[in-house]
Amino acid sequence: MTHYQFLEPLTFKNGLILKNRIVMSPMTTMTSFYNGMVTSDEIHYYQTRAAGPGLVITGVANVSASGKGFEGELSVASDDMIPGLTQLAQAIHQNGTKAILQIFHAGRKTNQQILRGTQPVSASAIAASYPADSETPRALSVEEIQSIIADFAAATQRAITAGFDGVELHGANTYLLQQFFSENSNQRTDAWGGSFEKRLHFPLAVINAVHQAIENATSRPFALGYRISPEEIETPGIRLADSLAFVDQIKTKVDYIHLSMGSYQRTSLNDQTNNQTLLSQFAAHTKGVVPLIGIGAVTTPTDAQAVLADGAELVALGRELLREPQWVQKVTAGDLGAIRTQMSPLDMDELAIPSVMQTYLRTSFYQVMNFTDDSTNQVNYQNTLAPMEGFEKKL
Ligand SMILES: Cc1cc2nc3c(=O)[nH]c(=O)nc-3n(C[C@H](O)[C@H](O)[C@H](O)COP(=O)(O)O)c2cc1C
């Protein structure tokens, strides 16, 4: 039988051991209760997909009420959430699979309807350029910035209490961490904006606060990951060189770095003369320092091997694990012919995909799901932004 490197274990520098290098990427189910509490449909969805991957990263959870980005999103903003999150961590902890809670503040990527009448907040009072009807946020005061940083730390403490093995800071897909780093959304003139260093201030302060929370709350290995989107396409906006410099700043402070891309073969969206994969360019900065999670349209073991060969230490699968929850088990058994790479809309109940998520996949994400009833509209994400990277269609 073929030997796959991605089936080998990996140990993070903090001592956390993953039984293999396959990661389930964070995918919101849109199925939490109105206040962000975990539902039994979600538990069932994660139970169905755990056991195979070395690591499952949950869909994103907001750390503050003002940071809710969409309906049905998980929350870790109050202690009430801990019992449900404990069940979620337990559901993932099957057969040695580790569980990481992804946490964020949506910043300007939300609206007053979702925030029940409250204006969205961000680094500066600048609306996102997409969607066209994006609301203009209110610029955060320094006290409010400090309070959101404390919310990230409190969320981490709750994740520890709930039994997770780590948190991932969602610094990608144009949410608040990215909004502070990007000149597009951060035009502050105080200590939290302006130069490259000042735009780094918020992400670094969040990383430090989360570290402190981990140190105070537990002695077991608890990972801190950071997800980034390599580029923005707006001007001004984040360019590849900015992201590589950002990675250089954080790579010794986190346990892994996770790229957000719709194709592992993606090259620069802004610089057509740069023909190297983004993955290999990030790997050149992370190799030997911190594990890198590569991602994007991985469906076959050959794809997963290619991601490692291009420099990543871990491979994340998103949509493929929706279609094929037993991916790792089938690869391990050598039963490659049984791996589904397409999904019938009629199979989604059987695949434990919650009804709201089914609607979401059938609408906003229809063209990228490889549904069997869609033979014409497949989008190749090689040279475009990924699902959820800031340009998804509104429901
Ligand atoms: C239904 C759905 C929900 C998603 N939700 C999140 C999320 O909560 N957090 C996040 O960082 N990325 C999210 N993503 C992006 C995925 O993690 C991943 O980056 C993307 O799907 C590309 O990987 P893939 O080609 O393996 O699917 C979502 C993607 C999908 C399809």
Side-chain angles (χ1 to χ4, degrees), residues 24-30 45-46 57-61 70 102 104 168 170-173 175 227 258-264 295-299 316-323 357 360-361 365 368-369 381 386-389:
M24 177 166 153
S25 85
M27 285 178 286
T28 181
T29 64
M30 299 249 167
Y45 161 90
Y46 283 103
I57 306 172
T58 68
V60 74
F70 36 89
Q102 191 188 48
F104 88 147
E168 176 173 290
H170 193 358
N173 301 2
Y175 296 119
R227 191 166 208 202
H258 182 183
L259 300 177
S260 180
M261 304 190 295
S263 166
Y264 68 87
I295 183 157
V298 174
T299 52
L317 282 71
R319 290 166 290 169
E320 179 57 17
L321 284 174
L322 298 180
R323 298 184 280 256
M357 190 180 197
Y360 186 50
L361 299 178
F365 282 170
V368 299
M369 285 313 300
Y381 267 97
M388 300 297 279
E389 247 193 289

Side-chain angles (χ1 to χ4, degrees), residues 115-146:
L115 298 181
R116 311 292 185 258
T118 306
Q119 188 182 7
V121 292
S122 186
S124 298
I126 301 168
S129 52
Y130 186 91
D133 60 352
S134 294
E135 291 179 19
T136 303
R138 183 173 62 72
L140 288 160
S141 69
V142 172
E143 292 70 30
E144 288 172 319
I145 293 173
Q146 300 288 7

Side-chain angles (χ1 to χ4, degrees), residues 122-385:
S122 186
S124 298
I126 301 168
S129 52
Y130 186 91
D133 60 352
S134 294
E135 291 179 19
T136 303
R138 183 173 62 72
L140 288 160
S141 69
V142 172
E143 292 70 30
E144 288 172 319
I145 293 173
Q146 300 288 7
S147 153
I148 291 173
I149 293 167
D151 290 341
F152 273 99
T156 303
Q157 204 145 0
R158 291 184 193 110
I160 291 168
T161 307
F164 281 92
D165 303 292
V167 288
E168 176 173 290
L169 296 175
H170 193 358
N173 301 2
T174 74
Y175 296 119
L176 190 65
L177 282 156
Q178 185 173 332
Q179 288 162 32
F180 265 93
F181 180 53
S182 172
E183 214 180 328
N184 181 272
S185 34
N186 184 349
Q187 292 175 16
R188 298 177 73 98
T189 52
D190 62 3
W192 300 91
S195 63
F196 174 83
E197 284 72 27
K198 287 180 177 174
R199 284 184 279 112
L200 264 173
H201 195 171
F202 180 70
L204 289 180
V206 171
I207 289 172
N208 285 340
V210 167
H211 261 307
Q212 201 58 55
I214 297 170
E215 222 173 278
N216 294 344
T218 185
S219 54
R220 67 183 164 92
F222 187 87
L224 166 55
Y226 200 102
R227 191 166 208 202
I228 62 163
S229 288
E231 296 173 294
E232 290 177 340
I233 53 175
E234 299 95 337
T235 303
I238 296 170
R239 294 296 176 266
L240 180 57
D242 301 316
S243 289
L244 293 171
F246 180 80
V247 164
D248 285 339
Q249 293 291 319
I250 67 166
K251 64 187 178 187
T252 56
K253 304 180 194 322
V254 296
D255 293 296
Y256 69 82
I257 288 174
H258 182 183
L259 300 177
S260 180
M261 304 190 295
S263 166
Y264 68 87
Q265 293 167 315
R266 189 198 277 181
T267 50
S268 173
L269 300 179
N270 294 300
D271 179 0
Q272 303 303 319
T273 64
N274 181 342
N275 296 321
Q276 288 175 286
T277 60
L278 294 180
L279 180 56
S280 65
Q281 296 181 71
F282 279 95
H285 286 247
T286 56
K287 225 1 139 222
V289 182
V290 67
L292 178 67
I293 307 185
I295 183 157
V298 174
T299 52
T300 63
T302 308
D303 291 326
Q305 287 290 81
V307 171
L308 296 192
D310 209 20
E313 282 73 24
L314 293 158
V315 191
L317 282 71
R319 290 166 290 169
E320 179 57 17
L321 284 174
L322 298 180
R323 298 184 280 256
E324 183 49 84
Q326 299 289 310
W327 195 93
V328 174
Q329 290 88 333
K330 288 181 179 178
V331 173
T332 306
D335 195 5
L336 303 191
I339 294 176
R340 302 180 206 223
T341 54
Q342 283 193 292
M343 174 166 68
S344 165
L346 299 173
D347 288 344
M348 288 199 282
D349 281 337
E350 204 179 314
L351 290 166
I353 297 175
S355 324
V356 180
M357 190 180 197
Q358 291 189 19
T359 306
Y360 186 50
L361 299 178
R362 293 278 288 154
T363 52
S364 300
F365 282 170
Y366 186 71
Q367 293 189 331
V368 299
M369 285 313 300
N370 211 5
F371 279 120
T372 48
D373 67 349
D374 172 31
S375 55
T376 54
N377 291 322
Q378 293 303 306
V379 172
N380 175 352
Y381 267 97
Q382 182 154 352
N383 288 311
T384 56
L385 289 162

